[in-house]
Amino acid sequence: MVSYLRVSLSFIFSALLISPAVSQSCSSQTFSGDKSYPHCLALPNLKAFLHYSYDAANTTLAVAFSAPPSKPGGWIAWAINPKATGMAGSQALVASKDSKTGVASVTTLNIISYSSLVPGKLSFDVWDVKAEEEAAGTLRIFAKVKVPADLAANGKVNQVWQVGPGVSPNGRIQPHDFNPPNIKAVGSLDLSGATTGVSASGGGGAVNSRIHKRNIHGILNAVSWGILFPIGAMIARYMRIFESADPAWFYLHVSCQFSAYVIGVAGWATGLKLGSESKGITFNSHRNIGIALFAIATLQMFAMLLRPRKDHKLRFFWNIYHHGVGYSILILGIINVFKGLSILNPEHTYKTAYIAVIATLGGITLLLEAVTWVIVLKRKSDNSNNPPKP
């Protein structure tokens, strides 16, 4: 029994040592044929590796890039950006595995913007392009690149790498996550190999700043459009039924909605700033709903200045407009918060917490709605039983 236990532990220990997920490093990776690369970088994000060699005489860069896709059947990409440090403008090599044949292949993408992720010719020559699948689903890209003269003279190139979840049937790659490791997957590559690490290309601080602004944008908008506006609407609908709450309910309603509007505008402005700093990154539906929310919420704020008296003949039409726009803000705000959560892709705890808040508000709304109808029907019954004396 002891001997069996020793053998089992020895087997498990040996398996762990040779497991690619545990022991994969620059030195442990091998290549088929006569491929050899004097330089290797364990890239700082997405569990990626880059083996490379550079021939300064003809400015040829040979690379072998490997990384695990974010999901089975996903894709990996390595790119050079000749003019900037981000993905927009990159000249990319994208590897994926065909779902039917199981064969890995490489596609070239000239990424003009994030909304234009279609195959295209690169701005520099590339040849000997090949893809293969390693153990545990990791993909590898082989290629030789003709480095542009201005980049070769500088001795460094801006590299970008990325992984994604899959490829659609029409060949379009599905969007990658926007978690910190994905956003930080950029750096400067020293062609000579003298620098063994990956520098941040002067963009590390900017990346951290964008992540910070992104989080602020999400929090401000979730609190304003997604929580305060619904609470303000509930105050107006359910507090006014109690005669003792008049006019306190009105001032509470206005205060809550105005606070939500101010916070929402701050979140909207942060989103505009993020957009200006993230050229090529466009989330059309989220952006368009945000613009619509800002426009109709601003209109709603100004409409308060034109609110007719209760006995005015236009008050009925103003009420229809006010309620219609208000409920539109309520619905669009909650929808856009969920769209924002899917873009930010935070920990499930945050999405669960927001769902819990909305569910709680929904439950309170149903309870108050029932109470309101009971009070209204009781008053009608009392009025019919006690008609006013002539």
mmCIF file with all atom_site columns, all heavy atoms in Angstrom, residues 319-342:
data_model
loop_
_atom_site.group_PDB
_atom_site.id
_atom_site.type_symbol
_atom_site.label_atom_id
_atom_site.label_alt_id
_atom_site.label_comp_id
_atom_site.label_asym_id
_atom_site.label_entity_id
_atom_site.label_seq_id
_atom_site.pdbx_PDB_ins_code
_atom_site.Cartn_x
_atom_site.Cartn_y
_atom_site.Cartn_z
_atom_site.occupancy
_atom_site.B_iso_or_equiv
_atom_site.pdbx_formal_charge
_atom_site.auth_seq_id
_atom_site.auth_comp_id
_atom_site.auth_asym_id
_atom_site.auth_atom_id
_atom_site.pdbx_PDB_model_num
ATOM 1   N N   . ASN A 1 319 ? -48.506 66.448 -18.589 1.00 0.00 ? 319 ASN A N   1
ATOM 2   C CA  . ASN A 1 319 ? -48.355 65.227 -17.798 1.00 0.00 ? 319 ASN A CA  1
ATOM 3   C C   . ASN A 1 319 ? -48.056 64.018 -18.682 1.00 0.00 ? 319 ASN A C   1
ATOM 4   O O   . ASN A 1 319 ? -47.223 63.172 -18.338 1.00 0.00 ? 319 ASN A O   1
ATOM 5   C CB  . ASN A 1 319 ? -49.619 64.953 -16.983 1.00 0.00 ? 319 ASN A CB  1
ATOM 6   C CG  . ASN A 1 319 ? -49.720 65.865 -15.764 1.00 0.00 ? 319 ASN A CG  1
ATOM 7   O OD1 . ASN A 1 319 ? -48.721 66.409 -15.313 1.00 0.00 ? 319 ASN A OD1 1
ATOM 8   N ND2 . ASN A 1 319 ? -50.931 66.031 -15.254 1.00 0.00 ? 319 ASN A ND2 1
ATOM 9   N N   . ILE A 1 320 ? -48.754 63.920 -19.822 1.00 0.00 ? 320 ILE A N   1
ATOM 10  C CA  . ILE A 1 320 ? -48.497 62.813 -20.747 1.00 0.00 ? 320 ILE A CA  1
ATOM 11  C C   . ILE A 1 320 ? -47.051 62.849 -21.221 1.00 0.00 ? 320 ILE A C   1
ATOM 12  O O   . ILE A 1 320 ? -46.352 61.831 -21.234 1.00 0.00 ? 320 ILE A O   1
ATOM 13  C CB  . ILE A 1 320 ? -49.467 62.869 -21.949 1.00 0.00 ? 320 ILE A CB  1
ATOM 14  C CG1 . ILE A 1 320 ? -50.910 62.625 -21.479 1.00 0.00 ? 320 ILE A CG1 1
ATOM 15  C CG2 . ILE A 1 320 ? -49.051 61.871 -23.024 1.00 0.00 ? 320 ILE A CG2 1
ATOM 16  C CD1 . ILE A 1 320 ? -51.934 62.764 -22.589 1.00 0.00 ? 320 ILE A CD1 1
ATOM 17  N N   . TYR A 1 321 ? -46.606 64.046 -21.612 1.00 0.00 ? 321 TYR A N   1
ATOM 18  C CA  . TYR A 1 321 ? -45.224 64.188 -22.077 1.00 0.00 ? 321 TYR A CA  1
ATOM 19  C C   . TYR A 1 321 ? -44.233 63.835 -20.952 1.00 0.00 ? 321 TYR A C   1
ATOM 20  O O   . TYR A 1 321 ? -43.290 63.058 -21.155 1.00 0.00 ? 321 TYR A O   1
ATOM 21  C CB  . TYR A 1 321 ? -44.989 65.627 -22.545 1.00 0.00 ? 321 TYR A CB  1
ATOM 22  C CG  . TYR A 1 321 ? -43.547 66.058 -22.424 1.00 0.00 ? 321 TYR A CG  1
ATOM 23  C CD1 . TYR A 1 321 ? -42.615 65.688 -23.383 1.00 0.00 ? 321 TYR A CD1 1
ATOM 24  C CD2 . TYR A 1 321 ? -43.108 66.808 -21.323 1.00 0.00 ? 321 TYR A CD2 1
ATOM 25  C CE1 . TYR A 1 321 ? -41.284 66.054 -23.254 1.00 0.00 ? 321 TYR A CE1 1
ATOM 26  C CE2 . TYR A 1 321 ? -41.795 67.174 -21.187 1.00 0.00 ? 321 TYR A CE2 1
ATOM 27  C CZ  . TYR A 1 321 ? -40.883 66.797 -22.157 1.00 0.00 ? 321 TYR A CZ  1
ATOM 28  O OH  . TYR A 1 321 ? -39.572 67.157 -22.018 1.00 0.00 ? 321 TYR A OH  1
ATOM 29  N N   . HIS A 1 322 ? -44.469 64.377 -19.772 1.00 0.00 ? 322 HIS A N   1
ATOM 30  C CA  . HIS A 1 322 ? -43.544 64.194 -18.661 1.00 0.00 ? 322 HIS A CA  1
ATOM 31  C C   . HIS A 1 322 ? -43.434 62.716 -18.262 1.00 0.00 ? 322 HIS A C   1
ATOM 32  O O   . HIS A 1 322 ? -42.327 62.196 -18.057 1.00 0.00 ? 322 HIS A O   1
ATOM 33  C CB  . HIS A 1 322 ? -44.008 65.026 -17.463 1.00 0.00 ? 322 HIS A CB  1
ATOM 34  C CG  . HIS A 1 322 ? -43.085 64.959 -16.284 1.00 0.00 ? 322 HIS A CG  1
ATOM 35  N ND1 . HIS A 1 322 ? -41.796 65.458 -16.310 1.00 0.00 ? 322 HIS A ND1 1
ATOM 36  C CD2 . HIS A 1 322 ? -43.259 64.446 -15.030 1.00 0.00 ? 322 HIS A CD2 1
ATOM 37  C CE1 . HIS A 1 322 ? -41.216 65.263 -15.131 1.00 0.00 ? 322 HIS A CE1 1
ATOM 38  N NE2 . HIS A 1 322 ? -42.086 64.641 -14.331 1.00 0.00 ? 322 HIS A NE2 1
ATOM 39  N N   . HIS A 1 323 ? -44.554 62.035 -18.179 1.00 0.00 ? 323 HIS A N   1
ATOM 40  C CA  . HIS A 1 323 ? -44.544 60.622 -17.799 1.00 0.00 ? 323 HIS A CA  1
ATOM 41  C C   . HIS A 1 323 ? -43.919 59.759 -18.890 1.00 0.00 ? 323 HIS A C   1
ATOM 42  O O   . HIS A 1 323 ? -43.147 58.835 -18.601 1.00 0.00 ? 323 HIS A O   1
ATOM 43  C CB  . HIS A 1 323 ? -45.961 60.142 -17.495 1.00 0.00 ? 323 HIS A CB  1
ATOM 44  C CG  . HIS A 1 323 ? -46.557 60.805 -16.296 1.00 0.00 ? 323 HIS A CG  1
ATOM 45  N ND1 . HIS A 1 323 ? -47.925 60.864 -16.081 1.00 0.00 ? 323 HIS A ND1 1
ATOM 46  C CD2 . HIS A 1 323 ? -45.992 61.447 -15.247 1.00 0.00 ? 323 HIS A CD2 1
ATOM 47  C CE1 . HIS A 1 323 ? -48.169 61.514 -14.947 1.00 0.00 ? 323 HIS A CE1 1
ATOM 48  N NE2 . HIS A 1 323 ? -47.010 61.872 -14.434 1.00 0.00 ? 323 HIS A NE2 1
ATOM 49  N N   . GLY A 1 324 ? -44.260 60.072 -20.143 1.00 0.00 ? 324 GLY A N   1
ATOM 50  C CA  . GLY A 1 324 ? -43.708 59.290 -21.261 1.00 0.00 ? 324 GLY A CA  1
ATOM 51  C C   . GLY A 1 324 ? -42.196 59.391 -21.346 1.00 0.00 ? 324 GLY A C   1
ATOM 52  O O   . GLY A 1 324 ? -41.494 58.374 -21.461 1.00 0.00 ? 324 GLY A O   1
ATOM 53  N N   . VAL A 1 325 ? -41.685 60.617 -21.259 1.00 0.00 ? 325 VAL A N   1
ATOM 54  C CA  . VAL A 1 325 ? -40.231 60.809 -21.312 1.00 0.00 ? 325 VAL A CA  1
ATOM 55  C C   . VAL A 1 325 ? -39.568 60.203 -20.082 1.00 0.00 ? 325 VAL A C   1
ATOM 56  O O   . VAL A 1 325 ? -38.503 59.575 -20.176 1.00 0.00 ? 325 VAL A O   1
ATOM 57  C CB  . VAL A 1 325 ? -39.899 62.310 -21.428 1.00 0.00 ? 325 VAL A CB  1
ATOM 58  C CG1 . VAL A 1 325 ? -38.390 62.544 -21.296 1.00 0.00 ? 325 VAL A CG1 1
ATOM 59  C CG2 . VAL A 1 325 ? -40.384 62.856 -22.761 1.00 0.00 ? 325 VAL A CG2 1
ATOM 60  N N   . GLY A 1 326 ? -40.217 60.357 -18.933 1.00 0.00 ? 326 GLY A N   1
ATOM 61  C CA  . GLY A 1 326 ? -39.645 59.822 -17.701 1.00 0.00 ? 326 GLY A CA  1
ATOM 62  C C   . GLY A 1 326 ? -39.487 58.313 -17.740 1.00 0.00 ? 326 GLY A C   1
ATOM 63  O O   . GLY A 1 326 ? -38.434 57.777 -17.377 1.00 0.00 ? 326 GLY A O   1
ATOM 64  N N   . TYR A 1 327 ? -40.529 57.607 -18.192 1.00 0.00 ? 327 TYR A N   1
ATOM 65  C CA  . TYR A 1 327 ? -40.436 56.147 -18.275 1.00 0.00 ? 327 TYR A CA  1
ATOM 66  C C   . TYR A 1 327 ? -39.460 55.712 -19.367 1.00 0.00 ? 327 TYR A C   1
ATOM 67  O O   . TYR A 1 327 ? -38.834 54.649 -19.257 1.00 0.00 ? 327 TYR A O   1
ATOM 68  C CB  . TYR A 1 327 ? -41.818 55.539 -18.498 1.00 0.00 ? 327 TYR A CB  1
ATOM 69  C CG  . TYR A 1 327 ? -42.675 55.563 -17.255 1.00 0.00 ? 327 TYR A CG  1
ATOM 70  C CD1 . TYR A 1 327 ? -43.895 56.238 -17.219 1.00 0.00 ? 327 TYR A CD1 1
ATOM 71  C CD2 . TYR A 1 327 ? -42.260 54.905 -16.095 1.00 0.00 ? 327 TYR A CD2 1
ATOM 72  C CE1 . TYR A 1 327 ? -44.673 56.268 -16.067 1.00 0.00 ? 327 TYR A CE1 1
ATOM 73  C CE2 . TYR A 1 327 ? -43.032 54.927 -14.944 1.00 0.00 ? 327 TYR A CE2 1
ATOM 74  C CZ  . TYR A 1 327 ? -44.229 55.612 -14.934 1.00 0.00 ? 327 TYR A CZ  1
ATOM 75  O OH  . TYR A 1 327 ? -44.990 55.642 -13.781 1.00 0.00 ? 327 TYR A OH  1
ATOM 76  N N   . SER A 1 328 ? -39.319 56.511 -20.415 1.00 0.00 ? 328 SER A N   1
ATOM 77  C CA  . SER A 1 328 ? -38.317 56.213 -21.457 1.00 0.00 ? 328 SER A CA  1
ATOM 78  C C   . SER A 1 328 ? -36.913 56.271 -20.871 1.00 0.00 ? 328 SER A C   1
ATOM 79  O O   . SER A 1 328 ? -36.066 55.405 -21.148 1.00 0.00 ? 328 SER A O   1
ATOM 80  C CB  . SER A 1 328 ? -38.445 57.197 -22.620 1.00 0.00 ? 328 SER A CB  1
ATOM 81  O OG  . SER A 1 328 ? -39.699 57.098 -23.248 1.00 0.00 ? 328 SER A OG  1
ATOM 82  N N   . ILE A 1 329 ? -36.650 57.300 -20.058 1.00 0.00 ? 329 ILE A N   1
ATOM 83  C CA  . ILE A 1 329 ? -35.346 57.415 -19.395 1.00 0.00 ? 329 ILE A CA  1
ATOM 84  C C   . ILE A 1 329 ? -35.106 56.222 -18.481 1.00 0.00 ? 329 ILE A C   1
ATOM 85  O O   . ILE A 1 329 ? -34.008 55.644 -18.445 1.00 0.00 ? 329 ILE A O   1
ATOM 86  C CB  . ILE A 1 329 ? -35.268 58.730 -18.590 1.00 0.00 ? 329 ILE A CB  1
ATOM 87  C CG1 . ILE A 1 329 ? -35.289 59.939 -19.529 1.00 0.00 ? 329 ILE A CG1 1
ATOM 88  C CG2 . ILE A 1 329 ? -34.005 58.757 -17.726 1.00 0.00 ? 329 ILE A CG2 1
ATOM 89  C CD1 . ILE A 1 329 ? -35.403 61.269 -18.804 1.00 0.00 ? 329 ILE A CD1 1
ATOM 90  N N   . LEU A 1 330 ? -36.143 55.843 -17.763 1.00 0.00 ? 330 LEU A N   1
ATOM 91  C CA  . LEU A 1 330 ? -36.043 54.721 -16.826 1.00 0.00 ? 330 LEU A CA  1
ATOM 92  C C   . LEU A 1 330 ? -35.650 53.427 -17.547 1.00 0.00 ? 330 LEU A C   1
ATOM 93  O O   . LEU A 1 330 ? -34.699 52.728 -17.148 1.00 0.00 ? 330 LEU A O   1
ATOM 94  C CB  . LEU A 1 330 ? -37.394 54.541 -16.127 1.00 0.00 ? 330 LEU A CB  1
ATOM 95  C CG  . LEU A 1 330 ? -37.471 53.560 -14.969 1.00 0.00 ? 330 LEU A CG  1
ATOM 96  C CD1 . LEU A 1 330 ? -36.665 54.058 -13.789 1.00 0.00 ? 330 LEU A CD1 1
ATOM 97  C CD2 . LEU A 1 330 ? -38.922 53.346 -14.579 1.00 0.00 ? 330 LEU A CD2 1
ATOM 98  N N   . ILE A 1 331 ? -36.346 53.113 -18.632 1.00 0.00 ? 331 ILE A N   1
ATOM 99  C CA  . ILE A 1 331 ? -36.097 51.862 -19.362 1.00 0.00 ? 331 ILE A CA  1
ATOM 100 C C   . ILE A 1 331 ? -34.744 51.892 -20.060 1.00 0.00 ? 331 ILE A C   1
ATOM 101 O O   . ILE A 1 331 ? -33.947 50.951 -19.958 1.00 0.00 ? 331 ILE A O   1
ATOM 102 C CB  . ILE A 1 331 ? -37.231 51.611 -20.371 1.00 0.00 ? 331 ILE A CB  1
ATOM 103 C CG1 . ILE A 1 331 ? -38.552 51.374 -19.634 1.00 0.00 ? 331 ILE A CG1 1
ATOM 104 C CG2 . ILE A 1 331 ? -36.906 50.429 -21.278 1.00 0.00 ? 331 ILE A CG2 1
ATOM 105 C CD1 . ILE A 1 331 ? -39.778 51.375 -20.530 1.00 0.00 ? 331 ILE A CD1 1
ATOM 106 N N   . LEU A 1 332 ? -34.465 52.995 -20.796 1.00 0.00 ? 332 LEU A N   1
ATOM 107 C CA  . LEU A 1 332 ? -33.196 53.089 -21.521 1.00 0.00 ? 332 LEU A CA  1
ATOM 108 C C   . LEU A 1 332 ? -32.006 53.081 -20.564 1.00 0.00 ? 332 LEU A C   1
ATOM 109 O O   . LEU A 1 332 ? -30.951 52.509 -20.873 1.00 0.00 ? 332 LEU A O   1
ATOM 110 C CB  . LEU A 1 332 ? -33.176 54.360 -22.371 1.00 0.00 ? 332 LEU A CB  1
ATOM 111 C CG  . LEU A 1 332 ? -34.083 54.372 -23.602 1.00 0.00 ? 332 LEU A CG  1
ATOM 112 C CD1 . LEU A 1 332 ? -34.034 55.735 -24.277 1.00 0.00 ? 332 LEU A CD1 1
ATOM 113 C CD2 . LEU A 1 332 ? -33.675 53.281 -24.583 1.00 0.00 ? 332 LEU A CD2 1
ATOM 114 N N   . GLY A 1 333 ? -32.173 53.723 -19.400 1.00 0.00 ? 333 GLY A N   1
ATOM 115 C CA  . GLY A 1 333 ? -31.079 53.775 -18.434 1.00 0.00 ? 333 GLY A CA  1
ATOM 116 C C   . GLY A 1 333 ? -30.692 52.401 -17.936 1.00 0.00 ? 333 GLY A C   1
ATOM 117 O O   . GLY A 1 333 ? -29.504 52.045 -17.894 1.00 0.00 ? 333 GLY A O   1
ATOM 118 N N   . ILE A 1 334 ? -31.680 51.595 -17.572 1.00 0.00 ? 334 ILE A N   1
ATOM 119 C CA  . ILE A 1 334 ? -31.393 50.247 -17.068 1.00 0.00 ? 334 ILE A CA  1
ATOM 120 C C   . ILE A 1 334 ? -30.792 49.380 -18.173 1.00 0.00 ? 334 ILE A C   1
ATOM 121 O O   . ILE A 1 334 ? -29.831 48.632 -17.945 1.00 0.00 ? 334 ILE A O   1
ATOM 122 C CB  . ILE A 1 334 ? -32.672 49.606 -16.498 1.00 0.00 ? 334 ILE A CB  1
ATOM 123 C CG1 . ILE A 1 334 ? -33.117 50.375 -15.241 1.00 0.00 ? 334 ILE A CG1 1
ATOM 124 C CG2 . ILE A 1 334 ? -32.443 48.139 -16.169 1.00 0.00 ? 334 ILE A CG2 1
ATOM 125 C CD1 . ILE A 1 334 ? -34.450 49.909 -14.687 1.00 0.00 ? 334 ILE A CD1 1
ATOM 126 N N   . ILE A 1 335 ? -31.342 49.489 -19.381 1.00 0.00 ? 335 ILE A N   1
ATOM 127 C CA  . ILE A 1 335 ? -30.791 48.720 -20.510 1.00 0.00 ? 335 ILE A CA  1
ATOM 128 C C   . ILE A 1 335 ? -29.327 49.074 -20.735 1.00 0.00 ? 335 ILE A C   1
ATOM 129 O O   . ILE A 1 335 ? -28.475 48.202 -20.923 1.00 0.00 ? 335 ILE A O   1
ATOM 130 C CB  . ILE A 1 335 ? -31.614 48.980 -21.794 1.00 0.00 ? 335 ILE A CB  1
ATOM 131 C CG1 . ILE A 1 335 ? -33.000 48.337 -21.678 1.00 0.00 ? 335 ILE A CG1 1
ATOM 132 C CG2 . ILE A 1 335 ? -30.882 48.444 -23.025 1.00 0.00 ? 335 ILE A CG2 1
ATOM 133 C CD1 . ILE A 1 335 ? -33.922 48.683 -22.829 1.00 0.00 ? 335 ILE A CD1 1
ATOM 134 N N   . ASN A 1 336 ? -29.018 50.378 -20.700 1.00 0.00 ? 336 ASN A N   1
ATOM 135 C CA  . ASN A 1 336 ? -27.655 50.802 -20.996 1.00 0.00 ? 336 ASN A CA  1
ATOM 136 C C   . ASN A 1 336 ? -26.675 50.434 -19.883 1.00 0.00 ? 336 ASN A C   1
ATOM 137 O O   . ASN A 1 336 ? -25.486 50.223 -20.141 1.00 0.00 ? 336 ASN A O   1
ATOM 138 C CB  . ASN A 1 336 ? -27.599 52.310 -21.250 1.00 0.00 ? 336 ASN A CB  1
ATOM 139 C CG  . ASN A 1 336 ? -26.660 52.661 -22.378 1.00 0.00 ? 336 ASN A CG  1
ATOM 140 O OD1 . ASN A 1 336 ? -26.436 51.845 -23.273 1.00 0.00 ? 336 ASN A OD1 1
ATOM 141 N ND2 . ASN A 1 336 ? -26.092 53.846 -22.359 1.00 0.00 ? 336 ASN A ND2 1
ATOM 142 N N   . VAL A 1 337 ? -27.168 50.364 -18.654 1.00 0.00 ? 337 VAL A N   1
ATOM 143 C CA  . VAL A 1 337 ? -26.302 49.905 -17.563 1.00 0.00 ? 337 VAL A CA  1
ATOM 144 C C   . VAL A 1 337 ? -25.877 48.458 -17.815 1.00 0.00 ? 337 VAL A C   1
ATOM 145 O O   . VAL A 1 337 ? -24.701 48.105 -17.665 1.00 0.00 ? 337 VAL A O   1
ATOM 146 C CB  . VAL A 1 337 ? -27.008 50.030 -16.202 1.00 0.00 ? 337 VAL A CB  1
ATOM 147 C CG1 . VAL A 1 337 ? -26.219 49.284 -15.126 1.00 0.00 ? 337 VAL A CG1 1
ATOM 148 C CG2 . VAL A 1 337 ? -27.122 51.501 -15.807 1.00 0.00 ? 337 VAL A CG2 1
ATOM 149 N N   . PHE A 1 338 ? -26.811 47.632 -18.237 1.00 0.00 ? 338 PHE A N   1
ATOM 150 C CA  . PHE A 1 338 ? -26.468 46.229 -18.523 1.00 0.00 ? 338 PHE A CA  1
ATOM 151 C C   . PHE A 1 338 ? -25.540 46.127 -19.735 1.00 0.00 ? 338 PHE A C   1
ATOM 152 O O   . PHE A 1 338 ? -24.645 45.280 -19.768 1.00 0.00 ? 338 PHE A O   1
ATOM 153 C CB  . PHE A 1 338 ? -27.734 45.410 -18.742 1.00 0.00 ? 338 PHE A CB  1
ATOM 154 C CG  . PHE A 1 338 ? -28.385 44.964 -17.465 1.00 0.00 ? 338 PHE A CG  1
ATOM 155 C CD1 . PHE A 1 338 ? -29.572 45.535 -17.038 1.00 0.00 ? 338 PHE A CD1 1
ATOM 156 C CD2 . PHE A 1 338 ? -27.797 43.983 -16.680 1.00 0.00 ? 338 PHE A CD2 1
ATOM 157 C CE1 . PHE A 1 338 ? -30.170 45.131 -15.847 1.00 0.00 ? 338 PHE A CE1 1
ATOM 158 C CE2 . PHE A 1 338 ? -28.385 43.568 -15.487 1.00 0.00 ? 338 PHE A CE2 1
ATOM 159 C CZ  . PHE A 1 338 ? -29.576 44.146 -15.071 1.00 0.00 ? 338 PHE A CZ  1
ATOM 160 N N   . LYS A 1 339 ? -25.748 46.986 -20.733 1.00 0.00 ? 339 LYS A N   1
ATOM 161 C CA  . LYS A 1 339 ? -24.829 46.998 -21.874 1.00 0.00 ? 339 LYS A CA  1
ATOM 162 C C   . LYS A 1 339 ? -23.431 47.411 -21.424 1.00 0.00 ? 339 LYS A C   1
ATOM 163 O O   . LYS A 1 339 ? -22.424 46.850 -21.879 1.00 0.00 ? 339 LYS A O   1
ATOM 164 C CB  . LYS A 1 339 ? -25.341 47.945 -22.962 1.00 0.00 ? 339 LYS A CB  1
ATOM 165 C CG  . LYS A 1 339 ? -26.499 47.395 -23.775 1.00 0.00 ? 339 LYS A CG  1
ATOM 166 C CD  . LYS A 1 339 ? -26.846 48.303 -24.925 1.00 0.00 ? 339 LYS A CD  1
ATOM 167 C CE  . LYS A 1 339 ? -27.899 47.654 -25.826 1.00 0.00 ? 339 LYS A CE  1
ATOM 168 N NZ  . LYS A 1 339 ? -27.372 46.473 -26.543 1.00 0.00 ? 339 LYS A NZ  1
ATOM 169 N N   . GLY A 1 340 ? -23.374 48.391 -20.539 1.00 0.00 ? 340 GLY A N   1
ATOM 170 C CA  . GLY A 1 340 ? -22.077 48.822 -20.017 1.00 0.00 ? 340 GLY A CA  1
ATOM 171 C C   . GLY A 1 340 ? -21.393 47.725 -19.218 1.00 0.00 ? 340 GLY A C   1
ATOM 172 O O   . GLY A 1 340 ? -20.169 47.529 -19.326 1.00 0.00 ? 340 GLY A O   1
ATOM 173 N N   . LEU A 1 341 ? -22.166 46.986 -18.433 1.00 0.00 ? 341 LEU A N   1
ATOM 174 C CA  . LEU A 1 341 ? -21.592 45.873 -17.663 1.00 0.00 ? 341 LEU A CA  1
ATOM 175 C C   . LEU A 1 341 ? -21.034 44.797 -18.583 1.00 0.00 ? 341 LEU A C   1
ATOM 176 O O   . LEU A 1 341 ? -19.987 44.201 -18.302 1.00 0.00 ? 341 LEU A O   1
ATOM 177 C CB  . LEU A 1 341 ? -22.654 45.274 -16.743 1.00 0.00 ? 341 LEU A CB  1
ATOM 178 C CG  . LEU A 1 341 ? -23.014 46.105 -15.503 1.00 0.00 ? 341 LEU A CG  1
ATOM 179 C CD1 . LEU A 1 341 ? -24.236 45.508 -14.808 1.00 0.00 ? 341 LEU A CD1 1
ATOM 180 C CD2 . LEU A 1 341 ? -21.843 46.177 -14.531 1.00 0.00 ? 341 LEU A CD2 1
ATOM 181 N N   . SER A 1 342 ? -21.722 44.537 -19.699 1.00 0.00 ? 342 SER A N   1
ATOM 182 C CA  . SER A 1 342 ? -21.218 43.521 -20.639 1.00 0.00 ? 342 SER A CA  1
ATOM 183 C C   . SER A 1 342 ? -19.941 43.990 -21.322 1.00 0.00 ? 342 SER A C   1
ATOM 184 O O   . SER A 1 342 ? -19.091 43.174 -21.685 1.00 0.00 ? 342 SER A O   1
ATOM 185 C CB  . SER A 1 342 ? -22.291 43.206 -21.683 1.00 0.00 ? 342 SER A CB  1
ATOM 186 O OG  . SER A 1 342 ? -22.541 44.325 -22.519 1.00 0.00 ? 342 SER A OG  1
#
